[in-house]
Structure formats: C-alpha cells, structure tokens
Amino acid sequence: MNGKSFLVDLTRCTACRGCQIACKQWKKLPAEKTVNTGSHQNPPDLSSSTIRLVRFSEPMKKGPVQWLFFPEQCRHCVEPPCKQASSVEGSITHDPDTGAVVYTELTAQEDIEVIRGACPYDIPRQDPVSKRMTKCDMCIDRVKAGMLPACVKSCPTGTMNFGDRDDMLKLGAERLGYAKKIWPKAQLVDAQDVRVIYLAAFPTTFYYKYLTVGALDRSRFATRRDLLAQLLRPVKSMTSV
Amino acid sequence: MPVTRRDFLKLTAVTALTTAFGGLGCAAKGKAPAGPMAMPADRIQALKPEWSKQSTSICCYCAVGCGLIVNTSLASKRAVNIEGDPDHPVNGGALCSKGASIWQVAENDKRPKTVLWRAPYSDTFEPKTWDWALKRIARLVKDARDKGFEAKNAKGEPVSRVNNLASVGSAALDNEECWTYQAMLRTLGLVFIEHQARICHSSTVPALAESFGRGAMTNHWADIANSDCILIMGSNAAETHPISFRWVTKAQRERGATVIHVDPRFTRTSAKANMYLGFRSGTDIPILGGMINYILGHDLCFRQYVVDYTNASFVVGEKYGFKDGLFSGFDPAAPGYDKSTWAYELDENGVPRKDPSLKHPRCVFQLLKKHYSRYDLKRVASISGLSEADQVKLYSTFAATGKPDKAGTIMYAMGWTQHTVGVQIIRTMAMVQLLLGNIGVAGGGVNALRGESNVQGSTDHGLLFQDLPGYLPVPGGSLSTLAAYNETYTPVSKDPKSANWWQNRPKYMASFLKSMWEEPAPEQSYSWLPKLDPGGAQAYSWLALFDKMYKKQFQGAFVWGMNPACSSANAGKTRKALANLDWMVNVNIFENETGWFWQGPGMDPKSVKTEVFFLPCCVSVEKEGSITNSGRWMQWRYAGPKPYGEARSDGDIMVALFREIQALYKKEKGALPEPILKASWARTDKHGEFDPHGAAKLINGAFLKDVKVGDTVYKKGQQVPSFAALQADGSTSSGCWIYTGSYTDKGNMGARRDPSQTPLQAAINLTPNWSWAWPLNRRILYNRAAVDNAGKPWNPAKTVIVWNAADKKWEGDVPDGGYPPGEKYPFIMTTHGGGRIFGPGLNDGPFPEHYEPMESPVSAHPFSPQLNNPLAVNFPEEPKAVADPRFPIVCTTYRVTEHWQTGLMTRWTPWLLETEPQLFCELSEELAKVKGIGNGQRVVLESLRGSVSAVAMVTRRFKPFKIKGKTVHQVGLPWQFGWKQPADGGESANLLSPSVGDANTGIPETKVFMVNIRKA
C-alpha cells in the first residue's frame, strides 16, 4: 500500500472550473466578493474559503497564443514540510492509509507565517476570524467512504485523476509519453515528492510561479522563523524528477 | 421546523472541524428525528438513506443534459448535496462549474418566497397570495382577450385569434410544461408566441430541415468521440457546453482526431484545439463557401454518396439563375423571391430529372460548382482575414474526412445562428457534410449545440409563432379548413423510391387537434386554432413582437422563464416596450431585470403604468418531468426537495391559471368560449395539481377508440406505440407526434436507466436503452445514409446500422426508415428522398451567398454588389452603422462557462458570481495601444443604440484583421450581466446590439455589430 495520489493532466484542462465549484459544493464553502481585474481568474488567489483555484495564464508575449490553466491545490507532500514545521501536536495530521495531509482545528494555534512559509507551493491560508488554517484535505471523508474527491469526480476531460499512487504514477508515465510527442519538454512535476502530480506541457513558470518547488520565491522568507521552516523542508523535495 | 440554509451551513462548518478523518459511524443511525439538528454531523452520513432521499435529475443549464444525483434531507426536505450522476452516459459524473453549483440555486435565500404584485405607477412590489394573483390575472386575460379577439382578419378569412396578448418563454420548462403552455396559449388564441429558441437556434431548424429533413442535432454527445476530425466553428464548446469536451477530448486523445477551432476569438476551446484559425465575425459563408470550392476543385467529395443520396444529380429548371448577388425571381417590391423559378425539372412521371454523371450543366452539382467558383482563396482571405495558407490547412484537413472510413463532424452554436444569414451559414456546412458523406455516420453529422436544457423540447413542442408541436406549421388565415391545410402541407412525391414521410402529416395534425380538444371532430377544432396573417418572421418573430409591444399594440404579456430585458437584441428598446404594456406576468426563480424593469436605469416608476405580477416557480430539482437534450434524448427528472417558500411548478401555475380563466368563461361567456370550455388538455393529478405523467402520456398519444393497425387491434385508451399507428380520422390523439413511443403501455421510456448495449452498439457507444430519443429512439439521424444500397456500412468499424440478410432485419441503431436496403432513399423526410445540396425552400436562396452583416466595417465585398441580405428582418427607421467612422470596431457577444444566458440564475449563485463577477470587454493589445487602454481599466462601449461600461481585458487572444487591405479591430463582451444583480456587475451587452434578424427566422444578429470603445 503506497497511499493515494492525483494525476493532474494539464494538457487536457479546459478551465471549466467544475472542480473549483464542486469543491465548494461538497464542503459548502462560502463565495468571496470579487471584482474583475482584467483576467478570467477569480478569486484572485487561494483563501480560507477557496482551497482550490483554477489559475489562468497567457505566458507568450509573441508567437502562437497559449492560454494555460492550472487547477491549484495542496500537493499532499509525501513528507509534508508543513507538518514538520508545525509546533502544535495534532494540528496537522498525515493519514497513513491515503497520505492525505489534513489540517485540524488545532491549526488555529499555529503561526500561519511558519506553516505557509514551510510550504514549497504556497498553499496554506488562514481563516481571518477563527484563525484556523485551511487547504485541500483530499476530500478524505469521501475517499474513506470509497468515493472520488469532489474535484476529480467533476472533471469531464480526464485532467483530474485519483487512485492508488502506483496506478497514478503509471498513468502519469503513459500520459507523459503521449504529451512528449506534441510538447517535447512536457514533464511530471515533482512526482516523487507529492501526491498531486501535475503533467505540464510547458515550463512550469508559464502556468504559475509555484507550480513547482523550483520556482520558490525566497524573498518571501523575510523572518528567521521562515528561514528555519525553509530549512526543515526535506532535501528530497528539492530535487526535480 | 425546517433547517434553514444558514443553519445548514453552520452545521456543516461544525462538521468540517470534527470529522477530518471521516468519522464514519459517529452519527446516530435510525429514523431521522425532526428538527434543525436532525442531520448527522458528517457529510457522508448525510448522503445515507437514513438521513436523505436520493433522486436523479438532469442539469438545468445547457442542453448537454448531464445527469445529477440529488440528496434531499428527510427532515428538512431541502437539498443537502447535488453532484454528477456517475452512471450517466453523457457526463459520467462530471459537471462544469454551473452544473456543480446547482445546490446553491435551490438552497438560496435570495429566492422570492411569495407572489409579488406591482400596482400601476407604484414604486414597490407587495406580497400577494396565489389565489388573489391567479384570479386577477385570469380577469385581465379574459378582458384583454374579449377585447382583442378577431374572428376574421382584414381579408375576411376566419382566424380565431387575439392580437393584443403576447407570450415569451420558455426553454426552461419541462417538456410536459412546454406542451401544456402552448396548449393554453393556443386555446386562448395567441399568435404572438415566442421563446428562447428564436434567439438561440431558430436558424438551425430550417437550415437542417431544408438540408436533411429534420431540424435537430443529427448525432448525440457521446458520438463525438467517434469522429476523426472535429470542426468547432460558430461555437465555443469548451466554455458553453463544457461536458461536450469529455467526448471531444476522448476523440482527440484516443482516436487521434484533429480538433479545429475556427473563431473570431481565441477561447478555452482554442486552447485545446490542434488548430486555431481566427477570422472576422460575419464571414463564415465565405470561408465555408471556399471549402466547397476547394472540395470540388480538388475532387474530394464522396462521389457515390453524393450521387446516390443527395440531390446533386437533380436537374434544376431553366428559370433558375443567379446574378449580382441575387437569385432568379427576386421582387424588390415584395421584397421576396418567386421560388418557383428554383424548381427542379420534372420528367414525364413528375419525378425530378437526374443526371447521375453529374455533368448536366443545370444539375445541382454543376450549379454548385459554378456558384462557389467565386469563393477563391484570395477573395475569401480579403474579406474574412483568414489567410490563404490557413484556408488550405483548414480545407484539406477537414475534406480528408470525405473517405468512406472517415468521419468529420461540426459542432456549432450561436456563432453561426445569430446572423442575418444564420440559416444559410448552417446550410453551407450541411452541404459540405453531404459532399463528404458525413451525414448519418458515427462521428459525423451537423451538430447543433443547443444551449438551454430543454430548448430542443420547447422547440419540438411548438413554443414559436410558426410551429405547432412536432413541426406542424401554424395555419395561415387562407387555410380556412383542415382539408385546405392538409392539401397545402402534405407534400407529394411521384418517385416510388421516396418515402416522403411528410405525406403522413394529416395523421399528425388530426392527432394533435385531438390532444387539445378530445371530444370535437378535428375539422371543428381546427377552426379554433389561431391563424396567422402573411409576413412570417418580419411580422411575428421576436423582434417584431417587441416592436409591436414598443408601439403599444399589446395589452398584456406573459414573460415566462425568460429575461428579455437583457437577452433581447436592442435591450433598451425592449425595456421601453415593457413599459408600454398594461400588464405583465413574470414567472421566474429570482428577481430579474424584466420583472423589475420599472425600477431599472432610466425608468421612473411613477410614470410606468405596467401592472406586474411576479410568480415564483420551482427550480428544476424541485419538480418532476422530462427535458430533451441537444442529442434529442428525452430524460426524466424526479423531484428532490419540496418547493421553496410558496413557489409552484410552472405546470401547476399554468393549469391553475387556466382553470380560473375557464371558470370566468363558464360564468360570463365572452369571445369564442368553446375552445376554452372544451379544452381537454389541462391534466391534473388527484391533488388537483399539474400531472407531468398525464401530460407526458397525452404528448405520446392514445387510441380514442378501438383501432386496427396492420394485424393488431388496439383498444380505446391504450397508449399509441409508434407514430406509424396514428390516424387522420380522429381515432387517435398525440400531442406531439415525434414523441410517440416515449410513454407507451410499456411505461415511461424517458426514465430508462439501462446502460446495456450490444457489442455493435457499444462500438459506437449508442446506449439505446438509456432514456429515449425522438424519433422512435433513433440515436443517429439519417443512419440509412451510413450504409450503401446493399445495407453494408461504409465504415464497418463504426457500424451504425447493418442489414442482417439472413434474418431480414436491421441491427444497431433504429434505422431511419425500416425498409430493406435499396428500397427507399435514405433521407425519408425530404420530399424526393435526397439530402438537399440545393435548397429551394428557403426564403433567401437555394445556395448560401455571402452578405455582410447589417452593421459592418465595409460597404462592399468581393462576391457581388449586393451588400446585405435583401430579405433580412429589419426596421428601416432604426439607423445602422455601415463603414461608419464613428463606430469602426466590430463587436461580438458571447457567454462564459460560469454564467448562463442573461445570468438570471447564475448571478444569484454566489459560487459562480465569484468567478465572473463583472462585465468585461476583451480587446487586442493593438487596439488597447491605439486607444490608450490598460488591462483592468474601465472602458465605455458605444453603439447607435446605447452604451455599456466594462472592465477591459487586454489580451493577445484578440487580434485585428486585415480586411480588404485595411486593419479592422474586433472586441467582444458577454451578454450575461444586468443592473439588478450584482450592484457593481454592469449591464447587458444587448443594450448595444441592433434589431435586425435572419431572413428566414428573424433570429437577431447579435454576433456582429459596430461599436466604438474608449477609456472611461
């Protein structure tokens, strides 16, 4: 038993945002007040009530137009740095069966800067009122009941896939083989270190700066505590596949 | 006490804290106790039968028809979770953002809970009871009807109609409600009957009917996966029909199909296409005409198919001609064509003369070749902006499907329909598909992507001025008897090989009349049917209806499940028109710009007379009935939660209102009371409420006396098994003949959920036992053209039907005409049995010809001196911008995934509004530079009609085009916003669009008009 994983094939995503809403529907997360800022992407960022966000990007300044979509969520790291950075027992749990990294109500006692700073993908957010930290929990209630995560179930194109990790790695290899014929630089992003494996056709920064750990913006680590959190990250996750 | 939505949210928030690891079994089991805390503190538990009822439904948004699973709390009777149905063959559990948000439409505390009434000149709505409102509306309807009833028209012909009442709506109704609604309107005598189909796909019906015989999407959603080349043009399928991409992606990734997107703008569809080609809005006919020219010039058509199965070999009469952009028979005074000049030449038996060698200079094939020889690469490039190289890429890729073992399909929608040449754009592609032998085959077809969940059904059930249910024409005043009607509308073929299916029309008409009025003879009830004057779309269609309303020619109007204040072209005029009514009944789910128009921008309530009734109706998951998806699947939905507040189902509102009107006529008499008093269609259940099963059975039809059909005797009261059993003598009823077979003595076929299929059916994923498709559960129309004259499939790997010679029967799909191979021509609905490459029945020509949009950046084009469609629906007193330097920019309107139509439902759905909160305008970097506009800044768009403010979205996905050597810019914006909600969301893009429409159907040209843009 190697736990569960997602294979997210970005070459297929149409940004229908079914997953973004299905996530809110299952968890009954509230909507945010937003405005249009000159992009279809909304809400503009992850938040305590938006734990899954489809990011839109038009990276090419010249040449053929590309419009890239990146459904962003917690990667459920194989060895989660956020858990290592946590200082409250039981605030961040790591489910042995699935590998899901789950934040409990005790995260309200954590320091968001430490936890968020520890995340190589900049995922954790904090509820401004309860101070509880939020992110994707792999729909662990559904998964334990034999159901697919809400986002995966809603996906029409085969972008979102979920299952036993070995099966997802196998599917990822198959999909990568296909993708490389069209996009020679296609890659499975950080596949060994995370349970949410993205298949990207283009350089990861074209989608979003934190699609991969390699894009980590060190300037975010302003404080000593942040740096410490950074150091706690497993060495393994710094290597690329 | 029911759980309120707020309580439920609180409850689930607690749940999220305590059940991070599932917490299975922590909730108490057993019979659910009542009260707000009755639900278990666990979302998984809440789905279990101890706590909630599970029912299936179909998504209420686009016409992909995705299956839903609805869980409704046993305690509160409200929905707790709605997600995709994993067993459903179309969506397999998947849902787009809209589908995934349906829970929030139902469980939404912004839904008005009661009837609301606005007194004339009042500045407020006040709550009223249903009883009061229905009685008051019935009184207003009766008074108006009695005043406006016309027994005879100016010519003295009997017309039995009311001219002072109008209705718009609705594709949001269930089939049973659509049928019942048309029955009510026609019983009252209305002729101004329109709805969403007019403004979304009205051009599809005559285009496809003229080409193939029926006006519907030829194939179905899952069949797209069988295609080798998917052309998406006039559609942004990935955004507007998102789950279609389940099948597009499958074709692309598993079959290696090429996906081509041809569109003025680069969209989420383009992002996934193998090939994206941009062009100027309104030049589809040049590009597709160029494709015909390329196919013929390179000898790429499927010759045997073309010769055997189309009218390419038919010889056209000597009177036919084409000169300077006009066809023979044009009368500028009418204006109109004398279509007799387009007739085929007949042989001594009265059968069209044919030349199978296709060499006769007047055969359709040669006329076609000549007509499109003008559509060369250079001319097409100069007017469309699509380069010659890109044209060749497009043409050669798609034309490669002209081989027997290849199939190419087209997915189109509003990008083609909403033009003054909308019908002819679709026709051009239909002709391409006939030339390539792509009709009838798996993975082929002309696939009209319909945009409302039941717009196929609402069209089938005749909620349009010109059609009764089942595409029986509404009679004109000159057809004063049923015999005259049948004489006019029953085509005759002298060719024994032509099935000429419409020869059965008298059976369908008599059965329809019997479904409306069971007791009288059809000849009698025919006299009660309201009849039209001549004039067609220019006199009766959507734009004409609102023009008459604007000119104060209506007293009252029903606006049922529609929001014309935002959806109508020239919305400013439409809103003023609403103020010229004495009264309006607005049935809807949420507050909207139409019902609340008197509060809107530029309106002073104190000077607006219109008395307004807002009647709150159920959302889709609160009621039972069927809807028909784009692929013609009639799918039954079950009720989940109980109606919210005092909301009632639309069907229930109709029958309750009609009973009130009937009571008034019974008591007071009035103008022609018989059709009202003798109406037998208003079916109610034992509780006195609308009975969807009763209505569905009535639509299917029944034997009204014992009838012998063939060797079988059917007893009075039995359901009719197939339309082959319908009779012209009044011994059968059928509300809509094409639905005969949907609800038989074997049960409700639309409710079937059996995924089983034979290996042959499974090879093309036909799923014939899941729901039911009209006609006769046939899944791929014209499938007799998928086999040769011996019954052998062109492509055995993708067999749709095949003749089993040993058992003398067809296998696979239900054959489109069950005759043995070679006995009849495959296009059984056309008079002469062939697919029509030459279409002599349309108003504006037998071959599509390029005409510029009524508002255009150019004042001339390279194909002829005729600038515009000479027969476009038009109100000449309203000026147009043609090559007008004040409005130099082409504007197009569209939808996004996250909103639906005017946004009436989705703008009230917080999860969706969050994703697309405000009106935006997409424009190119080049134009932004010229105008000094930065991304995210506010801009103002102006046209001759009005202006809107929007957020600029500067993007490389838009680009200027070189048209006739000059740079032409194009901008685009969605028409899905409105002033009512949200406050900072912006206005309807239709404030900009003009009142001009297609020459055949009057569909407004909202895809191209001229604007200017400036920084706010």
Side-chain angles (χ1 to χ4, degrees), chain B residues 246-361:
Chain B
R246 181 176 182 215
W247 303 107
V248 173
T249 308
K250 193 171 161 70
Q252 184 188 44
R253 297 305 171 92
E254 294 176 21
R255 274 184 78 69
T258 307
V259 178
I260 308 172
H261 191 218
V262 185
D263 201 283
R265 56 199 183 97
F266 187 106
T267 65
R268 293 179 231 181
T269 301
S270 326
K272 296 295 127 181
N274 301 76
M275 193 189 295
Y276 165 73
L277 306 168
F279 74 104
R280 174 174 66 100
S281 274
T283 57
D284 305 73
I285 289 177
I287 291 169
L288 297 171
M291 173 132 47
I292 292 177
N293 188 36
Y294 186 91
I295 290 169
L296 298 179
H298 293 78
D299 201 16
L300 296 170
C301 62
F302 183 174
R303 197 166 173 102
Q304 191 183 345
Y305 186 105
V306 168
V307 172
D308 289 353
Y309 292 166
T310 75
N311 67 359
S313 66
F314 289 27
V315 176
V316 177
E318 284 177 351
K319 287 187 195 160
Y320 171 77
F322 175 80
K323 197 172 169 236
D324 292 342
L326 294 170
F327 296 87
S328 54
F330 186 67
D331 175 3
Y337 283 105
D338 172 4
K339 295 184 202 170
S340 70
T341 67
W342 309 341
Y344 307 121
E345 198 166 282
L346 304 179
D347 68 13
E348 52 286 3
N349 300 318
V351 175
R353 200 177 293 285
K354 295 174 191 172
D355 175 16
S357 76
L358 305 182
K359 285 185 182 143
H360 191 292

Side-chain angles (χ1 to χ4, degrees), chain A residues 15 17 29 32 58 63 140 153, chain B residues 20 84 268 898 914 955-956:
Chain A
R17 297 197 262 204
L29 294 168
E32 302 178 39
E58 294 173 48
I140 188 149
K153 186 176 175 199
Chain B
R268 293 179 231 181
E898 297 79 5
E914 166 188 76
T955 171
R956 287 188 70 225

Side-chain angles (χ1 to χ4, degrees), chain B residues 561-796:
Chain B
M562 281 203 82
N563 190 15
C566 290
S567 64
S568 185
N570 203 347
K573 178 180 171 184
T574 307
R575 294 173 185 186
K576 286 182 193 148
L578 297 172
N580 290 340
L581 289 167
D582 289 344
W583 53 267
M584 171 175 60
V585 177
N586 181 219
V587 186
N588 224 310
I589 299 167
F590 289 104
E591 292 183 21
N592 61 81
E593 289 76 10
T594 299
W596 275 253
F597 79 92
W598 43 276
Q599 284 185 349
M603 290 279 172
D604 172 16
K606 290 186 179 63
S607 64
V608 177
K609 179 181 173 197
T610 317
E611 181 176 351
V612 183
F613 301 82
F614 175 82
L615 309 182
C617 61
C618 292
V619 297
S620 59
V621 295
E622 291 168 348
K623 65 182 182 183
E624 187 172 5
S626 74
I627 57 172
T628 302
N629 79 358
S630 202
R632 297 163 286 99
W633 294 14
M634 171 195 164
Q635 305 195 83
W636 198 262
R637 309 195 280 204
Y638 296 92
K642 67 178 182 187
Y644 180 82
E646 293 178 17
R648 295 173 75 167
S649 81
D650 297 277
D652 206 24
I653 299 169
M654 289 164 206
V655 293
L657 175 61
F658 187 68
R659 296 263 183 245
E660 295 289 350
I661 296 170
Q662 254 184 338
L664 287 180
Y665 272 93
K666 199 169 177 184
K667 195 169 143 204
E668 303 170 7
K669 298 293 179 274
L672 191 68
E674 289 85 356
I676 295 169
L677 298 177
K678 294 200 168 174
S680 55
W681 49 261
R683 303 282 166 121
T684 51
D685 63 14
K686 58 187 173 197
H687 308 295
E689 288 173 352
F690 176 67
D691 175 15
H693 291 276
K697 287 179 185 170
L698 185 64
I699 290 168
N700 177 88
F703 293 96
L704 302 177
K705 50 176 91 155
D706 294 358
V707 176
K708 191 172 180 197
V709 184
D711 297 332
T712 312
V713 176
Y714 292 94
K715 292 282 173 201
K716 179 182 175 180
Q718 271 190 277
Q719 289 293 98
V720 177
S722 146
F723 48 68
L726 293 176
Q727 306 293 320
D729 62 0
S731 57
T732 55
S733 73
S734 173
C736 184
W737 72 276
I738 56 175
Y739 282 74
T740 306
S742 65
Y743 207 129
T744 65
D745 289 340
K746 289 181 185 157
N748 182 354
M749 298 293 147
R752 296 184 306 164
R753 292 175 55 83
D754 175 1
S756 68
Q757 41 189 344
T758 66
L760 207 59
Q761 293 163 343
I764 59 166
N765 201 10
L766 206 61
T767 58
N769 300 307
W770 188 282
S771 75
W772 181 88
W774 73 256
L776 299 178
N777 202 31
R778 186 174 297 135
R779 302 292 163 134
I780 297 182
L781 297 179
Y782 321 111
N783 55 32
R784 288 294 305 263
V787 296
D788 63 17
N789 273 324
K792 191 170 151 286
W794 301 120
N795 180 9

Side-chain angles (χ1 to χ4, degrees), chain A residues 9-22 24-43 49-50 56 58 60-69 93-96 100 102-105 132 137 140-145 147-148 150 153-158 175 178 182-183, chain B residues 8-9 12 16-22 24 42-44 47 69 80-86 92-98 100-101 103-104 238-239 242-243 245-247 249-250 252-254 266-268 271-272 896-898 910-920 922 925 935-936 951-957 982 984:
Chain A
D9 183 349
L10 297 179
T11 71
R12 293 183 178 224
C13 178
T14 60
C16 74
R17 297 197 262 204
C19 59
Q20 186 175 319
I21 306 301
K24 293 213 166 190
Q25 197 279 148
W26 176 248
K27 296 175 180 296
K28 303 294 185 283
L29 294 168
E32 302 178 39
K33 172 65 189 164
T34 56
V35 293
N36 191 310
T37 57
S39 165
H40 288 281
Q41 181 181 313
N42 243 327
S49 51
T50 303
F56 291 62
E58 294 173 48
M60 311 296 203
K61 297 294 164 224
K62 56 186 173 189
V65 177
Q66 288 293 345
W67 200 7
L68 303 180
F69 314 121
T93 62
H94 195 186
D95 179 48
V102 178
Y103 287 8
T104 72
E105 68 273 27
R132 192 178 171 209
D137 67 355
I140 188 149
D141 49 353
R142 294 173 64 101
V143 172
K144 293 259 168 176
M147 297 162 72
L148 286 171
K153 186 176 175 199
S154 74
C155 179
T157 58
R175 293 278 183 92
Y178 174 92
I182 303 164
W183 303 280
Chain B
F8 183 76
L9 283 176
T12 48
L17 293 178
T18 54
T19 63
F21 281 91
L24 292 184
D42 179 311
R43 287 189 289 268
I44 295 292
L47 303 185
I69 302 273
V80 291
N81 189 62
I82 301 181
E83 57 185 76
D85 177 353
L95 292 174
C96 72
S97 42
K98 289 192 296 296
S101 70
W103 177 85
Q104 208 172 40
E239 295 191 43
I243 307 304
F245 257 63
R246 181 176 182 215
W247 303 107
T249 308
K250 193 171 161 70
Q252 184 188 44
R253 297 305 171 92
E254 294 176 21
F266 187 106
T267 65
R268 293 179 231 181
K272 296 295 127 181
V896 293
T897 310
E898 297 79 5
W911 291 330
L912 294 173
L913 186 65
E914 166 188 76
T915 62
E916 291 285 4
Q918 290 177 309
L919 180 67
F920 58 84
E922 292 178 301
E925 292 179 342
N935 189 42
V951 177
M953 213 181 268
V954 179
T955 171
R956 287 188 70 225
R957 294 179 292 101
D984 62 351

Side-chain angles (χ1 to χ4, degrees), chain B residues 150-324:
Chain B
E150 242 180 30
K152 292 188 172 173
N153 65 9
K155 286 192 215 159
E157 297 161 341
V159 289
S160 300
R161 68 183 177 209
V162 289
N163 282 330
N164 59 344
L165 291 173
S167 166
V168 294
S170 175
L173 306 175
D174 288 352
N175 280 316
E176 298 71 26
E177 295 169 334
C178 287
W179 190 91
T180 301
Y181 190 46
Q182 73 79 32
M184 177 173 89
L185 299 173
R186 293 197 163 106
T187 298
L188 294 172
L190 269 74
V191 283
F192 287 95
I193 300 173
E194 288 283 272
H195 81 288
Q196 283 94 334
R198 176 70 55 203
I199 59 181
C200 78
H201 261 291
S202 63
S203 24
T204 287
V205 180
L208 298 186
E210 185 65 17
S211 306
F212 314 130
R214 302 183 186 94
M217 178 168 171
T218 56
N219 295 43
H220 61 102
W221 294 108
D223 183 66
I224 294 166
N226 295 317
S227 192
D228 296 296
C229 185
I230 301 168
L231 174 59
I232 304 174
M233 184 169 174
S235 156
N236 175 14
E239 295 191 43
T240 54
H241 301 83
I243 307 304
S244 72
F245 257 63
R246 181 176 182 215
W247 303 107
V248 173
T249 308
K250 193 171 161 70
Q252 184 188 44
R253 297 305 171 92
E254 294 176 21
R255 274 184 78 69
T258 307
V259 178
I260 308 172
H261 191 218
V262 185
D263 201 283
R265 56 199 183 97
F266 187 106
T267 65
R268 293 179 231 181
T269 301
S270 326
K272 296 295 127 181
N274 301 76
M275 193 189 295
Y276 165 73
L277 306 168
F279 74 104
R280 174 174 66 100
S281 274
T283 57
D284 305 73
I285 289 177
I287 291 169
L288 297 171
M291 173 132 47
I292 292 177
N293 188 36
Y294 186 91
I295 290 169
L296 298 179
H298 293 78
D299 201 16
L300 296 170
C301 62
F302 183 174
R303 197 166 173 102
Q304 191 183 345
Y305 186 105
V306 168
V307 172
D308 289 353
Y309 292 166
T310 75
N311 67 359
S313 66
F314 289 27
V315 176
V316 177
E318 284 177 351
K319 287 187 195 160
Y320 171 77
F322 175 80
K323 197 172 169 236
D324 292 342

Side-chain angles (χ1 to χ4, degrees), chain A residues 51-78:
Chain A
I51 60 177
R52 162 171 203 87
L53 174 69
V54 179
R55 294 186 183 272
F56 291 62
S57 145
E58 294 173 48
M60 311 296 203
K61 297 294 164 224
K62 56 186 173 189
V65 177
Q66 288 293 345
W67 200 7
L68 303 180
F69 314 121
F70 167 47
E72 182 184 35
Q73 65 173 101
C74 168
R75 308 298 198 281
H76 296 281
C77 294
V78 174

